[in-house]
Each structure stands twice: as C-alpha cells, then as structure tokens.
Amino acid sequence: MYVAVKGGEAAISNAHRLLADRRRGDRSLPSITIDQVAEQLGLAVDRVMAEASLYDRSLAALAVRQSRGDLIEAIFLLRAYRTTLPRFGNSVPLDTAAMQVERRVSATYKDLPGGQLLGPTFDYTHRLLDPSLLTDEEVDEPARKPASGEEVMRVSDILAHEGLIEADGDLPQDHEAGDLTREPMEFPMGRDLRLQALARGDEGFLLALGYSTQRGYGRNHPFVGEVRIGEVEVEMEVPELGFAVSLGRIRVTECQMVNQFKGSSKAPPQFTRGYGLVFGQSERKAMSMSLVDRALRADELGEDITAPAQDEEFVISHSDNVQATGFVEHLKLPHYVDFQAELAMVRKMRADIEAARAADRGENEMKDAAE
Amino acid sequence: MIDTPLLKVSGVSKFYGSRIGCKDVNFELWPGEVLAIVGESGSGKTTLLNCISTRLLPTTGSVEYRMRDGNFRDLYHISEAERRFLMRTDWGFVHQNPADGLRMTVSAGANVGERLMAVGDRHYGKIRQTATDWLGRVEISADRIDDQPRAFSGGMRQRLQIARNLVTGPRLVFMDEPTGGLDVSVQARLLDLVRGLVNDLGLAAIVVTHDLAVARLLSHRMMVMKDGHVIEHGLTDRVLDDPREPYTQLLVSSILQV
Amino acid sequence: MTADLATYNFAYLDEQTKRMIRRAILKAIAIPGYQVPFASREMPMPYGWGTGGVQVTASIIGRQDVLKVIDQGADDTTNAVSIRAFFQKVADVAVTTHTKDATIIQTRHRIPEQKLTEDQVLVYQVPIPEPLRFLEPRETETRKMHALEEYGLMHVKLYEDIAQNGRISKTYAYPVKVDGRYVMDPSPTPKFDNPKMHMSDALQLFGAGREKRIYAVPPHTEVVSLDFEDYPFEIQTFEQDCALCGAHGVYLDEVVLDDRGGRMFVCSDTDHCEDRREHGHVGAMLAPNQEAAE
C-alpha cells in the first residue's frame, strides 16, 4: 500500500538540529568565540565582509562560525542581514592617499616617496607547516616604527605628474554613485556599478579571470603600480553641518594596476589603469579585481573584445557567488514534475522508433516471403 | 520600365580617426542592376559595403532606399525596427565566410525557413516545402534538408547562405567576396548559379570582390576603389576593356597576364 | 546587535522595498508578459530557491490573506514547507493547503488543477525568465528582440524540433505569447498547465529573484502556446487514472514501487487528490479488493 510522503516539517527541523550538533562538534572541546574567529581567522572574516559588502567584523565572525567555516554560506548570511538595513546616505570618496599604510609595495619603482613596506604578508614565508602552532606558544611582539604622519604618495599620482597615466575618471557634478543592491542592474553598466559588482564578486572567479588575461585571453600588459593595505577614514557629509564628519576607520586593500595602452585616434599613448579596492586585507582579490576592471574597459578604450574577461555581461552576470551557489544548488530541489514530462516524451519517442522498425521488419519479411 | 533608382548613395565617407575608410562616394543603383566594387584589400570596398548596408555608421553622407511603398527613406533616419525588418525581408547579405551568415547548429531547412518564420509563416509543412524548393534551386539535394551546415562543404554552405537570403524575395542583395574561400572549380559553379538567380529574379546586387573575373561575370557596372576613393566608375565591359586610370590598367593587366 | 537581528518588518521586506516591488508589479500588469527589471533583494533563502516568488508574495501579502505554497504541486515538499514556514514566522498569516481557501498561492512548477478565481493570485517562482535565453545568451540582445518583436528564432527552435523528432518535444517551460505581443516563459511548469493560464480569472505574477525580473499575466488575458498550424500545441495525456483518487485528465506523478518495474501514478496536485478522496472518489489502489480483482 502506497502512502504519500509526508512530514517535510519534521524532516527540516531534525536536519537543523543535526546541523547545530555538527557545528558544535566534540562537546569536550571548548567552543570558539566570535572574538577568537575575528582575531585569529581574520582573513576569513575579511573575505566575508568584502563579498557581503558589509564592514562589521563581529557579525562577519558570527557568520563564519554559524556557517561552520563555509565562507560563501557566511557571505550569504551576512548579505541577508545587510539587505534589511536602512541606508542613511553615501560616504564621501575614501582618500586612500591619506591611508595609514601597513603594507605598500610597488612593482614599477625600486624606491619611491613613502618607501616600500612589506607589512603582514605571506610573501617570502617558506610554506612549511609550523609545528609551533600545534601548541599555544608565545608569539613575539611586532617591531614597529613610529608613524610619520606623512601621506604616502600614490604611484598613480607620480605618473600623473608627467601626464603619462590617465587621470582619475571625471564624473559629472550631479552624479550619484549607483547602488547595485538597490537598483535593477542593466547592461552596459557604468564603471562605478561595475567596480561595485567586482568588489563583492567571488574571489576565486575574479582570480581565474584575472589569471586568464595574463595567459593571453585579453592580455593587457599589467604592472602593479602599487598595492597598499591600511586604515582609512570614512567620512560623510551632513547637510545640517555643511561639512563631512568622520564615521570611523576601516581597513581596506587597494590595488592600482598600470597597463600599457597604444593610444587610439582619440587619445595619445599613455598608461591606463585597472582599479581594485576591497574591505579588509586581500591582496589577491584586489589585484584580480584590478586586472578584470582593466579588461572590462576594452570597449571604452577601443580594444577588440575577444576574451571572457573583457565581456561585461558575462563577467558581471556570473561573478556573484551567492547567486551562483543558489542556482547551482537549486538543482537538488525536486524537479520530478518536469522530469515526468521528459520521461513520458522519451518513452513515446522510443516507442515510435520501435514501431517504425517493426514495420520495416514486417515489410522485409513480406518481401522475403514474396520472393 | 522603372525609371527611378532603388538606392541613392550620396557623399558617404567613413573615417577611422584620421585614417580614411572611404571618402565621398556617390552612386545610384537601379532595380535589377548588379554593381561590382573592386579593389585590393585595404582599398575601402568592404567599409563602403558595410556603410551602405547599415552595418556600419558612416561619418557623413546619406543612403536612401526606395521602400516597397515607392517612397525613399534615409536608412540612417529610420528606426532600428524598420531597419532590421528591411534587412530580413527586402535585403540579403551574403558573407564571405558562410559561418557568419548561417546558423551552423540548426538544420539547412531551418536556416532557409528562418526568414519565413520571422515574418509570420506558421505552417511547418509549407515552410519545409519552400525550403526544399530553394535547396533545389541552389543545387542542394532535398535529402540534406535536415543536416546541419557543419556537415556541408564550403561550396554547399555558400549556396545554402544564398538560399537563406533569397527565400523572402528580396530586391537587393549585398555580397562580400562571395567566392572568397572557395576552390577555383567550385567558384565557377557558384558564379554560374548566382548569375542565373540574379537574372531570373531580377535582383539588384552590390558585389564586393578583389577578383576582376567575378566582376566581369556578374556585374553590369563597376567601381574601382583605391585608398578609400572611387577612382573609376563605369560599365563593366568598358572599364575592363578600356581602363582609363593607370591603377585600373595595372589591375586589369595583372589579372589578364595570369 | 541581537535585538536588531531579531526584529523584521511585517513579511520581512521593509516598506520601501515593497513599494518598489509593487511598482514593478503594476508595470508588469500594465504590459502583460513584459519582463520588468526590479532591484531584487538578497533574501534569507538561496537564489534559485524561490527568492523572486517570495519577494512578490511578501510585497502583496496582507494580514487578512490566506497563503498556500506548493512545489511540484504538493504542499508538503520540503521547499514548500520551508517557504510557508518563513511567511508564518515573518508575517504570521493564515496558511492553508486547500486551493479553494487560499487568496495567494505561491508555486513552483505547477498550476493547481482546480480552476482559480478572481479573488486569488498565483505567484510563480521563476528560475530563468527569458524565453529566448538558450537561443541568445546576451541580455542586451534579447531585450532588443523583445522590443522589436523579433521572435522568428523561437519558431526556428520549434521547427528544428519537428524536423529532428517528428514532433515538438518541448515538455515544460513551453513558450507562450501573451496578449498577442510578448513571448513569455511560463516558468518550468509542464506544458500540461499552459492552457490554465489562458483567460484565467486569477491574477498571475512571476518573480525571478536572481535574474531580477517580474512579469505578469493579468486576469482574462490571452495566453497562446507557440506552435505551427499543422503541428498544433498539445498537452500531455496519461493512460492511467490517479491510483488514489481515480482522477482522469490531471497531471500525474510516477511513483516507483519496487525494483521490478512496479509503477503507480498519482495526482501531482496533492490537495486536489485529497479533496477528491474526501468526496468519496476512489482509485484502483484504494479500491476494495474484490473490485480490484475483477
């Protein structure tokens, strides 16, 4: 006797209970705290903040813990929270020249005002597993030099003095930066919206696309003008006051990629730029973003669009990992109604072919018999 | 006899920055007339063709076309909807590479039938019958109707492209090096076919070619282009038998020596 | 922080967002079948799992509404249960499994068997709203094709189907023309359900969250499935009746009974099936033994 499957509700609630159990793991071990996640898995927290477009270390850390370390799930959690938040207004553009830099490297100049500053980087570490991390060994205090308080000149400004690099793009006075999360997306899109999409785009996807431009799929001859990481002030104009007030400081990673440009009928040869800016510390993401940003300017600069990284609709439509994971994973939802329709169609078509073959055989037999 | 032209091209120029694509081209095309535009590669003939066929926006100039209602319309001042409708009904465009003009992943029948369906034909059997007829006219056997062009030879693809364009009975067809990628023997057969179709259907055509033999065989009139300028223009027989410009003389002699 | 997290507006979305979505819905109703771009929000369920339908429902639902949610025609599939629970949590509305009692029905992949009334709204969850998408991947190009009513390619697809398979083999997400103008994807419902869209008394709304599109079929609007004169549109037919309620001419699910090829067919619309059984209809499986033996 067939009984239709029931009890979806109970199944779901049991699944959630089991999930909570697995999240907690072995009860004899202390559970990790949000502070521990924020402090000791800081780069995971940074990635979640960047791709969720919400700068809040504690909430991002909570999301990382709640998602059992599945970062795309954590990004999803934080975004679903972000979407419910009211918007008070736009900040004034960040002044990254005034950044309190912790790291700053340039590949285009040996030395430059402000110097090269390695900062907390994995570069030049030998990737040997470190047994000292198996125990809770004492860690030395970092060596610090007193902050000079001077602004660290941006490499793009150095080149701009000679007119060798394109200036910062000009926007009309009344231009208001769009908000990808509040307005419908349309192609072709402005560079402001495009950069927004890239800033919250999936790190792995942008990495692969940036990499593809280096391997010849939309090559654009990049040099790292500079990468800088550090804290910048976020300011907002308050109409009642008539001047900008500081809302606080955030840590960001900025990459200015300097690219060759042959010049066109409209513009003499000069260096062009790809730009990357992300929350927290993520050089990989900022550099990939600047490669892809430059690649996506092919149309604007009159270059042939031949490679995936140059195709705005392709890149932007597929860069969002929350969208991508949802749609890929929705395939596990029931589709049996449609499958039933396909099943019936395939059976019918097979039956037709069988019938036609049988008819052929019948004819042949008749012929044979007649001969 | 119709005493008005089909197409009026006036002062068409196209600049790429400071480089000339084509400069100050003027001519009229009459119904049923075949015009060849000849020149070496880089002479501007393809740029001109693209400007006339609205695939490329010229820097200056106008192109007027006599619509089926008898009125002339400036092709750069009609709506995109009208332009696209024109392109898939009253015009044809035969590309040098058939892959640019065909849908390589749908059958030959669907390739020919597409324009009919685009204008509202909704009877499968009739569409298929028309497609079969047209395949016959371009010498493609009816039993290939359900095969994809991928499985066709170069010459067959080009003939299929022609059928696909002619099925709606256009009055004007543009051809860009229609025999470009083909073997010599295949070329001859295709040219023969095209000449027959153009005559039978009373088509007007603009054919871009670097091959004077193609111009000789297909066209009534020809224009010779060099560095973006039309340097000689006249009846095909006259231009080929009695070229006036030194460049044309050079072109003609170099061909005839072969 | 926790206090913020715990409070959400009625039906989750803030009122400003609802207004934005309602404007999109009104535009969609004004231009039947046209895909209206809207600023789809991040929802607390994954993209592809009904975020579009949920946003539409959240924007139109009021405290008096009675909500029914189905997936594959059934009220008890996990995703339907989950979405229903979501609205119970964030909107505290009455829910039902009875089609006739619902004022809003959110659905994935089916249209209820029972004829809907003018007091009801059917909200579809849509994964890919663009019927031309698999013929032309580019949004910029497909929007132009819709604007210029260039739908020839759609029939090329159907032509090709007949040429290769002897029939139009598309079985679900079967394209329709709405009000004689826009070609529309009815979402992945089996084509069996297409005729129910035509001249429906109920308002039909379609939400695609990931693709950020809303479209609509207003009540009493012509919805025609694309076809050829000599290969007219046909819906699926089933040789069997529902094994539980004996219903004929409804959409059936195939249930595998054992590993020896045993199959039975039951109503995909679970409410319809239960309702019939309550009214004394009996299918072969539930019939008393002697009848079955005859």
Side-chain angles (χ1 to χ4, degrees):
Chain A
M1 170 63 207
Y2 168 75
V3 182
V5 190
K6 289 271 180 196
E9 265 161 85
I12 289 175
S13 112
N14 286 337
H16 292 173
R17 208 165 134 183
L18 186 56
L19 173 68
D21 172 77
R22 294 295 147 90
R23 179 189 296 131
R24 179 59 182 83
D26 185 346
R27 306 291 203 282
S28 68
L29 298 171
S31 66
I32 44 172
T33 66
I34 300 310
D35 292 343
Q36 286 169 347
V37 175
E39 286 297 310
Q40 296 173 37
L41 296 175
L43 297 186
V45 169
D46 280 354
R47 179 171 176 199
V48 171
M49 293 195 306
E51 291 175 29
S53 316
L54 183 67
Y55 197 95
D56 188 318
R57 298 197 72 79
S58 319
L59 287 181
L62 172 62
V64 170
R65 184 178 166 198
Q66 188 178 333
S67 66
R68 305 176 65 196
D70 178 337
L71 294 190
I72 293 184
E73 181 66 27
I75 291 161
F76 184 9
L77 285 167
L78 200 54
R79 282 204 195 173
Y81 173 64
R82 179 192 190 272
T83 195
T84 65
L85 299 176
R87 305 293 194 271
F88 296 117
N90 291 341
S91 74
V92 299
L94 298 182
D95 182 6
T96 52
M99 179 189 283
Q100 188 77 48
V101 295
E102 189 173 43
R103 170 169 169 77
R104 189 274 195 118
V105 290
S106 167
T108 51
Y109 292 100
K110 180 161 191 260
D111 200 4
L112 65 171
Q116 308 256 17
L117 204 59
L118 281 185
T121 177
F122 290 117
D123 298 351
Y124 319 112
T125 61
H126 298 130
R127 269 64 172 201
L128 304 172
L129 287 172
D130 182 359
S132 77
L133 292 176
L134 290 172
T135 58
D136 198 10
E137 270 180 38
E138 202 59 23
V139 176
D140 293 337
E141 285 300 313
R144 290 184 194 276
K145 69 171 182 184
S148 68
E150 269 176 52
E151 285 198 0
V152 179
M153 194 179 193
R154 302 194 307 174
V155 168
S156 53
D157 295 334
I158 299 173
L159 283 164
H161 278 308
E162 280 185 74
L164 290 174
I165 198 164
E166 58 176 342
D168 284 330
D170 280 326
L171 288 170
Q173 265 304 299
D174 56 348
H175 180 86
E176 211 173 296
D179 182 347
L180 206 62
T181 64
R182 293 273 140 168
E183 295 144 24
M185 200 157 83
E186 275 182 59
F187 297 107
M189 48 174 41
R191 194 172 171 207
D192 54 344
L193 283 175
R194 208 161 63 197
L195 286 169
Q196 237 173 56
L198 295 177
R200 66 192 335 238
D202 182 72
E203 179 175 313
F205 181 70
L206 295 185
L207 174 66
L209 281 175
Y211 178 46
S212 72
T213 67
Q214 289 180 281
R215 292 193 64 262
Y217 291 85
R219 189 152 177 243
N220 54 34
H221 308 278
F223 297 94
V224 171
E226 78 175 324
V227 172
R228 55 171 65 196
I229 303 174
E231 292 195 344
V232 289
E233 200 101 36
V234 180
E235 294 182 323
M236 193 169 150
E237 300 272 6
V238 180
E240 292 84 353
L241 296 178
F243 55 87
V245 294
S246 172
L247 302 177
R249 303 177 72 81
I250 60 171
R251 177 180 299 274
V252 295
T253 304
E254 181 188 54
C255 174
Q256 297 256 13
M257 200 64 84
V258 176
N259 304 75
Q260 269 180 26
F261 177 54
K262 292 192 296 290
S264 70
S265 58
K266 290 178 217 131
Q270 85 180 148
F271 291 107
T272 55
R273 289 192 286 176
Y275 187 73
L277 182 80
V278 290
F279 283 159
Q281 172 173 352
S282 181
E283 226 158 83
R284 184 187 301 125
K285 170 74 181 282
M287 292 175 68
S288 306
M289 175 176 169
S290 57
L291 285 173
V292 176
D293 170 49
R294 177 60 185 77
L296 290 176
R297 297 179 61 205
D299 192 40
E300 170 198 343
L301 296 169
E303 298 164 339
D304 288 340
I305 296 176
T306 53
Q310 297 169 313
D311 185 330
E312 177 183 87
E313 216 182 303
F314 177 79
V315 172
I316 304 298
S317 300
H318 302 114
S319 62
D320 189 309
N321 54 24
V322 174
Q323 286 177 12
T325 199
F327 200 49
V328 167
E329 294 195 43
H330 108 283
L331 291 173
K332 67 196 168 195
L333 289 180
H335 282 80
Y336 54 76
V337 162
D338 294 344
F339 188 70
Q340 181 62 46
E342 293 287 272
L343 205 57
M345 178 59 72
V346 171
R347 279 187 186 135
K348 203 165 154 196
M349 283 162 56
R350 286 176 65 91
D352 286 357
I353 290 173
E354 265 316 306
R357 278 197 194 137
D360 277 353
R361 270 197 303 275
E363 245 170 56
N364 287 340
E365 275 162 25
M366 297 259 284
K367 264 191 222 152
D368 289 347
E371 271 162 16
Chain B
M1 186 68 201
I2 300 157
D3 54 1
T4 39
L6 190 61
L7 187 77
K8 293 196 270 195
V9 177
S10 333
V12 166
S13 299
K14 175 71 187 177
F15 299 101
Y16 299 99
S18 56
R19 200 167 60 76
I20 295 174
C22 62
K23 183 128 196 278
D24 198 24
V25 177
N26 298 282
F27 70 88
E28 288 177 347
L29 186 76
W30 296 73
E33 183 183 37
V34 179
L35 172 74
I37 305 175
V38 302
E40 297 171 307
S41 62
S43 62
K45 57 190 190 302
T46 297
T47 296
L48 177 61
L49 184 78
N50 286 336
C51 283
I52 300 168
S53 58
T54 72
R55 296 159 59 83
L56 190 65
L57 186 67
T59 314
T60 57
S62 74
V63 177
E64 288 173 278
Y65 181 71
R66 183 157 53 78
M67 309 298 262
R68 290 201 184 204
D69 63 7
N71 294 320
F72 277 99
R73 303 285 304 275
D74 186 335
L75 297 177
Y76 291 100
H77 290 101
I78 60 177
S79 68
E80 180 162 15
E82 285 177 292
R83 193 155 60 228
R84 283 169 79 129
F85 184 76
L86 192 67
M87 288 182 92
R88 64 171 189 254
T89 54
D90 212 21
W91 286 8
F93 197 108
V94 178
H95 297 261
Q96 173 171 3
N97 179 2
D100 296 338
L102 293 172
R103 290 193 190 280
M104 297 304 279
T105 54
V106 305
S107 67
N111 263 290
V112 178
E114 178 170 353
R115 277 175 162 228
L116 298 173
M117 292 182 256
V119 296
D121 279 17
R122 292 290 178 266
H123 192 284
Y124 175 84
K126 287 179 190 158
I127 293 166
R128 198 171 169 81
Q129 187 52 52
T130 310
T132 310
D133 293 346
W134 268 101
L135 289 180
R137 293 181 78 161
V138 298
E139 299 166 18
I140 294 174
S141 127
D143 62 10
R144 303 299 302 270
I145 189 167
D146 292 331
D147 293 347
Q148 294 184 358
R150 287 190 297 198
F152 286 6
S153 70
M156 275 174 81
R157 289 182 188 182
Q158 200 57 296
R159 280 178 275 134
L160 179 63
Q161 195 192 178
I162 290 165
R164 172 179 162 88
N165 272 285
L166 298 187
V167 68
T168 46
R171 293 186 298 160
L172 173 60
V173 178
F174 301 95
M175 299 188 202
D176 185 9
E177 303 277 10
T179 58
L182 304 176
D183 296 340
V184 179
S185 60
V186 180
Q187 278 188 23
R189 184 176 165 201
L190 185 77
L191 284 174
D192 223 35
L193 180 82
V194 171
R195 190 165 61 164
L197 287 171
V198 166
N199 279 339
D200 292 351
L201 301 167
L203 284 176
I206 297 180
V207 185
V208 158
T209 179
H210 68 283
D211 186 343
L212 294 184
V214 171
R216 162 92 77 188
L217 208 62
L218 289 185
S219 71
H220 305 112
R221 211 151 42 101
M222 63 186 277
M223 296 196 320
V224 182
M225 288 192 75
K226 183 173 188 294
D227 301 332
H229 297 267
V230 174
I231 57 163
E232 187 155 0
H233 184 178
L235 294 176
T236 300
D237 290 342
R238 202 280 296 156
V239 173
L240 290 179
D241 297 339
D242 178 24
R244 287 180 191 163
E245 289 294 317
Y247 176 77
T248 317
Q249 289 164 3
L250 196 71
L251 217 63
V252 171
S253 63
S254 70
I255 293 297
L256 297 181
Q257 276 162 16
V258 173
Chain C
M1 182 177 98
T2 43
D4 283 351
L5 280 170
T7 57
Y8 289 99
N9 190 29
F10 174 77
Y12 181 75
L13 295 174
D14 57 283
E15 292 304 313
Q16 219 180 336
T17 297
K18 287 186 195 171
R19 267 198 296 277
M20 176 272 294
I21 294 175
R22 287 180 199 138
R23 274 197 294 270
I25 293 172
L26 288 175
K27 182 169 178 182
I29 293 170
I31 316 171
Y34 170 73
Q35 301 166 50
V36 182
F38 81 110
S40 176
R41 295 293 190 251
E42 317 262 11
M43 296 301 282
M45 61 267 299
Y47 284 111
W49 298 53
T51 53
V54 168
Q55 288 180 77
V56 168
T57 299
S59 302
I60 61 170
I61 201 166
R63 295 182 195 276
Q64 308 307 317
D65 274 309
V66 180
L67 178 70
K68 172 182 164 84
V69 182
I70 51 173
D71 186 341
Q72 316 292 303
D75 298 272
D76 57 359
T77 36
T78 43
N79 203 42
V81 169
S82 170
I83 290 172
R84 193 165 57 234
F86 174 74
F87 280 107
Q88 280 175 294
K89 193 193 280 178
V90 299
D92 194 26
V93 291
V95 296
T96 182
T97 58
H98 298 304
T99 303
K100 61 178 185 326
D101 297 337
T103 55
I104 299 174
I105 303 169
Q106 180 167 330
T107 180
R108 178 168 170 265
H109 293 194
R110 277 307 313 277
I111 298 174
E113 303 290 358
Q114 186 177 332
K115 194 169 178 304
L116 301 181
T117 68
E118 60 186 17
D119 300 322
Q120 295 180 306
V121 181
L122 186 59
V123 178
Y124 296 75
Q125 301 170 202
V126 181
I128 303 264
E130 179 50 72
L132 304 165
R133 178 61 66 241
F134 300 107
L135 304 169
E136 169 54 60
R138 235 159 249 290
E139 184 68 22
T140 34
E141 184 60 22
T142 51
R143 287 188 75 78
K144 196 173 279 181
M145 290 162 81
H146 282 294
L148 302 177
E149 230 179 319
E150 278 186 12
Y151 293 132
L153 203 50
M154 204 83 232
H155 269 89
V156 169
K157 173 79 180 61
L158 299 179
Y159 171 98
E160 202 62 358
D161 228 11
I162 300 171
Q164 307 298 333
N165 302 315
R167 59 168 67 80
I168 297 174
S169 63
K170 193 147 182 65
T171 56
Y172 62 93
Y174 191 105
V176 293
K177 196 166 211 181
V178 180
D179 199 26
R181 175 59 179 84
Y182 283 96
V183 167
M184 185 187 95
D185 185 330
S187 88
T189 50
K191 64 180 176 181
F192 180 87
D193 287 336
N194 275 20
K196 295 181 190 151
M197 308 177 77
H198 178 62
M199 291 300 190
S200 167
D201 291 337
L203 170 63
Q204 303 174 75
L205 300 176
F206 299 77
R210 195 179 39 78
E211 300 274 341
K212 303 175 176 57
R213 296 287 183 272
I214 286 173
Y215 51 102
V217 176
H220 315 294
T221 301
E222 202 172 69
V223 177
V224 180
S225 303
L226 301 184
D227 62 1
F228 286 102
E229 288 156 21
D230 47 343
Y231 282 84
F233 173 77
E234 281 174 353
I235 63 170
Q236 288 100 344
T237 53
F238 293 85
E239 286 166 20
Q240 300 85 343
D241 297 340
C242 171
L244 299 179
C245 76
H248 185 74
V250 297
Y251 199 80
L252 300 176
D253 289 334
E254 179 171 339
V255 180
V256 177
L257 293 175
D258 51 44
D259 58 3
R260 299 179 310 276
R263 299 275 191 279
M264 67 180 285
F265 288 82
V266 297
C267 283
S268 133
D269 184 338
T270 49
D271 173 60
H272 182 71
C273 195
E274 281 161 21
D275 190 57
R276 279 179 54 85
R277 274 179 281 154
E278 269 169 32
H279 286 85
H281 296 280
V282 180
M285 196 74 151
L286 296 180
N289 278 336
Q290 64 270 31
E291 275 183 44
E294 274 165 14

